[in-house]
Amino acid sequence: MATAAPLSMSKPPASLWSLAFRPFFLAAAIWAALALALWIVVFMTGGILPSRFDPLSWHIHAMLFGFVPAAIAGFMLTAIPNWTGRPPIQGGRLIALVLLWLLGRIACLVSAIMPLWMAAAADLAFPVMLCAVAAREIVAARNWRNLIMPVPIAVLVLANLLMYLELAGYDLPMGLGWRLGIVAIVALISAIGGRIIPAFTRNWLVKRGATVLPAAHDMIDRLALAILHTGLLGWAIFPTSKPVGAILVAGTVLNLWRLWRWRGFATIAEPLLAILHMGYAWVILGAALLGASLLTNIVPEAAAIHAFTAGAVGTMVLAVMTRVARGHTGRALEADRVTTLIYATITVAGLLRIAAAFAVSYAVPLLDLSALLWVMSFLLFAAIYGPILVSPRIS
C-alpha cells in the first residue's frame, strides 16, 4: 500500500531564499529608497523621528549601516560559494540573516522607545553575524586568499558601535564612527573593484577580438590601494590634517592611473560594464575632493563625502546588483533601456548632490532633485529586478 512521502528537510527553498543576492538586493533597494524619502520629508518639514539619533545622524546611519550592509551581504554571500566551493547560505539560515537585518533597521528607527543598549545590540547583531558567517565559510574551505574580505565588515561593526557609544555620551572624536564607516565601504569597493572590473572587461574585450586588454594586477595596483586606504584611514582619525590631504591627492593620481589601465573607455558600448568603471571613477573623484578639502578652503568636505556615498556607493551598488541579478538568473549580461535609465538617474543624482555642496544658494532644490533621482533609481531597480529576484532561474 502506497504511503505519503515524508517531508524532506533537504527540500530546496523557494527561489527567493536560494541565494543571498535575491532577498538582500531587494531589501537594499527598497531601504535605499524608503530611508532617503523619509529623511527628505523630515528635512523639509522639520519633523522628528522616534530615534535616539537626530535626523541627520539617523540618515547617515540608515545609509552606511542599513542600506550598504544589505548590498554587501547579497554580494559576498553569493560570491563566497564561488570562492570556496562550499554550498551557499540559503533557506532558513538566509531567512534568519534577513530578519536580523530587518530587526536592526527597526531598532535604530524606534530606539527612542527602548534602552540604548538594546537598540545597539539589535542593530549590531546582523553585521556581527554576517562577518562570522563569511569568515567561517572561508576558513572552512581554507580559502586563505579571501580571508581579508570579512575585515571591512568587522570595521563596519566597530564604526556602528562607535556611533552608539558617541550617542551614549562617551568621549570620542566627533563623527569618528561614520567616517570610519565610509572608509570601510570605500576600501571594500576599491578592493573588490580591482578584482571584478578588469576581469569582466578583459572577458568582454576578448570575446570581441580585442588585442589590447586591461593590465594585470601588479605593484601599481597594490601601491594605489595602500596609499588610498592610508589617506582615508588618516582622514577618519585626523579629519583636518593637511598631510593626510596630500596622501589622498597622491592616492587620487595612482588610482586614476589604475583605472586608466583597465580600459574602461573601450566599454562604452555596454552600459552594464561601463557603469563599473564609472563607479570606480566616483571613488577617485571622492579622494580628490577630500584631499582638496583638507588642503584648501575652496572645496567643502560635504562634496567629497557625497562623491563617496551618493556617487561611488550608489553607483557601484546598482552596478553590481544589476549585473549579479542578470548573471545569476540566466539572463544576458547586457543592459536594457530601463537598466541604462537606472544608471543615468543615479549618476545625475550624485552630480546634483555634489553641486548642492558648492552652490549653497541653490542647495535645497538641488538636494530635493538629487534625492528624487536617488529614490527613482532604486525604486526602478526594485520594480524591474524584483520579479527577477523572486523567480526561478531561466534556462
Side-chain angles (χ1 to χ4, degrees), residues 47 132 169 182 197 283 294 389 395:
I182 291 176
I197 299 173
V283 171
L294 294 173
L389 295 173
S395 300

Side-chain angles (χ1 to χ4, degrees), residues 104 119-129 156-162 164:
D123 194 13
L124 291 167
F126 169 71
V128 168
M129 186 59 67
L156 277 177
V157 173
L158 174 61
N160 195 354
L161 176 61
L162 288 173
Y164 278 101

Side-chain angles (χ1 to χ4, degrees), residues 50-371:
S51 175
R52 289 179 180 267
F53 290 105
D54 64 80
L56 178 58
S57 297
W58 178 85
H59 162 62
I60 294 169
H61 189 281
M63 293 291 107
L64 295 182
F65 305 112
F67 156 58
V68 176
I72 291 173
F75 171 79
M76 192 166 293
L77 294 181
T78 302
I80 284 176
N82 294 330
W83 300 341
T84 64
R86 289 174 59 80
I89 303 298
Q90 58 183 197
R93 290 191 297 167
L94 182 54
I95 293 172
L97 282 172
V98 172
L99 290 176
L100 275 181
W101 175 83
L102 182 60
L103 175 65
R105 309 289 56 76
I106 295 171
C108 181
L109 181 60
V110 300
S111 55
I113 61 175
M114 65 174 68
L116 180 59
W117 68 266
M118 186 180 296
D123 194 13
L124 291 167
F126 169 71
V128 168
M129 186 59 67
L130 175 62
C131 187
V133 169
R136 177 188 178 280
E137 292 298 303
I138 292 171
V139 170
R142 299 183 181 276
N143 184 239
W144 309 123
R145 175 175 180 267
N146 288 302
L147 192 56
I148 190 67
M149 289 304 167
V151 172
I153 304 175
V155 177
L156 277 177
V157 173
L158 174 61
N160 195 354
L161 176 61
L162 288 173
M163 284 200 72
Y164 278 101
L165 291 177
E166 184 178 343
L167 186 62
Y170 285 84
D171 186 17
L172 296 169
M174 185 177 298
L176 176 60
W178 63 259
R179 287 195 302 273
L180 192 60
I182 291 176
V183 170
I185 294 165
V186 174
L188 187 61
I189 289 174
S190 59
I192 294 292
R195 290 189 180 192
I196 65 175
I197 299 173
F200 293 161
T201 303
R202 174 181 293 272
N203 294 341
W204 189 81
L205 290 174
V206 166
K207 288 180 179 179
R208 282 149 187 80
T211 55
V212 182
L213 302 175
H217 187 87
D218 58 17
M219 183 58 72
I220 292 175
D221 296 88
R222 291 190 287 272
L223 185 62
L225 285 179
I227 293 179
L228 175 64
H229 295 173
T230 299
L232 289 172
L233 185 59
W235 166 70
I237 301 171
F238 307 106
T240 60
S241 169
K242 288 187 180 296
V244 168
I247 294 172
L248 285 166
V249 170
T252 298
V253 174
L254 283 171
N255 278 275
L256 184 59
W257 186 11
R258 187 188 193 209
L259 179 62
W260 177 261
R261 286 159 31 106
W262 295 343
R263 295 187 51 76
F265 50 86
T267 69
I268 300 301
E270 182 42 69
L272 195 73
L273 182 56
I275 194 64
L276 290 168
H277 293 267
M278 177 67 74
Y280 202 88
W282 275 111
V283 171
I284 296 169
L285 178 60
L289 291 173
L290 186 56
S293 74
L294 294 173
L295 294 172
T296 72
N297 294 322
I298 300 174
V299 177
E301 185 185 55
I305 290 170
H306 287 94
F308 283 138
T309 53
V313 173
T315 301
M316 286 298 284
V317 165
L318 283 168
V320 170
M321 291 200 309
T322 50
R323 187 180 186 91
V324 170
R326 297 188 73 85
H328 281 270
T329 60
R331 288 161 175 82
L333 290 176
E334 299 172 355
D336 54 23
R337 290 183 179 179
V338 178
T339 301
T340 304
L341 178 60
I342 290 171
Y343 299 157
T345 53
I346 196 62
T347 299
V348 177
L351 291 172
L352 289 175
R353 185 60 189 84
I354 293 174
F358 286 97
V360 178
S361 300
Y362 302 96
V364 172
L366 288 172
L367 282 171
D368 289 345
L369 185 54
S370 174

